[in-house]
Amino acid sequence: MTTMSTARRRWRSLPWLAVGVVLAACSGPGADAPVNQTETPVAAGTLSSVAVVTHGTPGDAFWNVVKNGAEAAGKDLGVRVEYNSAGDPGQQAKLIDNAIAQGVGGLVVSMANPEALRPSVERAVSAGIPVVTINSGESDSAAFGAIGHVGQSERSAGQAAGKRLKDAGKTKMLCVIHEAGNIGANDRCAGATQGFGNAATLQVDINNPTDVQSRIKGALEADRGIDAVLTLNSQIAARAVSAVDESHATATVATFDLNSDVVDAIRAGKLLFAVDQQQYEQGYLPVVMLQAYRTNLNTVGGGAPVQTGPAFVDKGNVDAIAKLVAQGTR
C-alpha cells in the first residue's frame, strides 16, 4: 500500500524527470524530432558500381582468380563490378581515368608501378571516389588517399620463402623477376635474398615464355652451383621446371602463386612449394570494404594493410587445395 509521504516524494520528482526529457530532446541530432519518434540512421550513401583495374596480363591465371573474387562479391552485395587490366602502367592509368569519367562508385587498383598511377588514383580520391589498393603498392596506398590495402606484404613473404628453401638444405638461389619495374616482384626477391642468403636474380619477360625458359636454362648451365630456383609467378614456374629438366640441373624449384600446372608439379615432386597469397580475397574483400565505407563510413585495417598471405601449398595440403584451384577460387 502506498503511503501519503511516498506519493508526495514521487510527485515532487516528476518535474525533474520532465526536465531530463526536455534536455534529452534538445541535444544531439534528434533535437528537432518529437520525443516519442525514433528516426532511422541516415546512411552515408550507396554503392552501385565498382571498377577493378589491375596490372595483370591477359590470360594470367592469378588475375583470373582476383576477377572471380571481385565478381562474386558484387553478386553477393548487389553491386555491379567491372574488371579491366593492362600490364602497361600508362594504359592502366587510362583505365582508371575512364572509370573516374564514368562516375564509378568505388575503385580497386593494383599498383605495381605506384608513381605511374599516382595522378590517376589521386584524381579519383579528389572526385570523392573511395579507393582500395590491392596486391602491390602497399607502402604508397595511404599516401595516395586510399581507404585501405588488401594483399600480401611482399618482402616478408619473400623472406619466408627464402628461409623455407634454406631450411630445405639449399645453398645458392636464383630468383626470377618476370616484370621489369614491378615493385612487388622486386620486394619479393629482396626478401627472399634476405631469408636465404646466397642469391642471384634473373630478369625475364613474362610476355615471351620461350625466352623465359631459355634464359633460366642458360643461367643453370652457366652456374651448376645453383640448387634452388624461386619464381614469382605461376606461369614462370612451369617454364622453370622445364628449364631444369632441359639443363639436367639438380635445382629445386619453388614459386609464388598457384595454378593447375603448379598443383600438378607439386604432386609430381617437381615443385617444392608454392607461396599462396589467396588472391581470391584480394578481389572479394575490397568490394566489401567499399560497400561498408559507402553505406556506413567504415574502414578496415586501422591504417595497416589487410594481409591475405603468405600461405604455403606443398605435398601435405595440395590435394585439398587442388579442388579449389579447379573451381577458380585459389
Side-chain angles (χ1 to χ4, degrees):
M1 181 175 179
T2 303
T3 64
M4 184 62 69
S5 60
T6 301
R8 286 195 188 102
R9 283 197 299 273
R10 288 181 177 173
W11 281 108
R12 282 198 298 269
S13 68
L14 286 177
W16 295 105
L17 291 172
V19 169
V21 171
V22 171
L23 288 174
C26 293
S27 62
D32 296 329
V35 173
N36 294 325
Q37 180 177 327
T38 301
E39 291 190 352
T40 302
V42 178
T46 57
L47 181 68
S48 59
S49 62
V50 170
V52 181
V53 183
T54 77
H55 66 276
T57 53
D60 190 320
F62 176 93
W63 291 105
N64 287 342
V65 176
V66 175
K67 179 182 178 182
N68 290 344
E71 290 179 344
K75 183 177 180 180
D76 290 346
L77 298 174
V79 175
R80 179 170 56 86
V81 172
E82 182 174 345
Y83 178 93
N84 286 289
S85 66
D88 177 75
Q91 291 299 319
Q92 190 185 3
K94 288 181 180 178
L95 291 172
I96 296 171
D97 291 337
N98 289 342
I100 296 169
Q102 293 167 9
V104 69
L107 185 63
V108 179
V109 181
S110 67
M111 300 199 302
N113 291 271
E115 285 306 314
L117 302 184
R118 177 195 284 269
S120 296
V121 172
E122 290 183 342
R123 271 194 291 275
V125 174
S126 296
I129 300 171
V131 178
V132 175
T133 59
I134 62 169
N135 186 261
S136 300
E138 171 190 321
S139 60
D140 294 297
S141 177
F144 289 9
I147 64 169
H149 179 85
V150 180
Q152 170 181 263
S153 291
E154 303 293 12
R155 187 173 289 266
S156 60
Q159 190 172 358
K163 184 178 184 303
R164 198 173 174 109
L165 284 168
K166 183 177 181 179
D167 291 345
K170 305 306 170 182
T171 59
K172 188 169 185 179
M173 179 182 70
L174 180 68
C175 189
V176 184
I177 299 176
H178 59 280
E179 288 177 343
N182 184 328
I183 189 172
N186 292 334
D187 283 345
R188 286 179 179 181
C189 266
T193 300
Q194 185 178 358
F196 186 87
N198 184 21
T201 59
L202 176 68
Q203 179 72 59
V204 299
D205 181 1
I206 192 173
N207 296 307
N208 191 342
T210 302
D211 185 61
V212 168
Q213 186 168 320
S214 176
R215 288 174 64 79
I216 297 174
K217 176 185 174 185
L220 292 171
E221 290 175 339
D223 187 350
R224 291 294 180 180
I226 297 172
D227 58 1
V229 178
L230 179 64
T231 64
L232 311 180
N233 174 276
S234 54
Q235 292 173 264
I236 303 300
R239 294 292 173 173
V241 168
S242 296
V244 168
D245 288 341
E246 287 183 357
S247 63
H248 304 290
T250 57
T252 294
V253 182
T255 190
F256 277 72
D257 304 333
L258 286 171
N259 65 9
S260 57
D261 290 335
V262 167
V263 167
D264 291 343
I266 291 174
R267 282 172 159 167
K270 291 181 177 293
L271 268 173
L272 183 61
F273 63 80
V275 183
D276 180 20
Q277 60 178 302
Q278 302 179 110
Q279 70 270 29
Y280 184 86
E281 294 181 332
Q282 295 177 20
Y284 195 99
L285 294 179
V287 180
V288 176
M289 291 164 66
L290 289 169
Q291 173 86 316
Y293 182 81
R294 275 292 192 189
T295 59
N296 208 44
L297 294 178
N298 289 129
T299 56
V300 178
V306 177
Q307 298 288 345
T308 63
F312 286 91
V313 179
D314 56 24
K315 273 200 167 183
N317 61 357
V318 68
D319 288 335
I321 299 296
K323 299 173 184 177
L324 305 174
V325 172
Q327 71 182 26
T329 59
R330 289 293 287 270

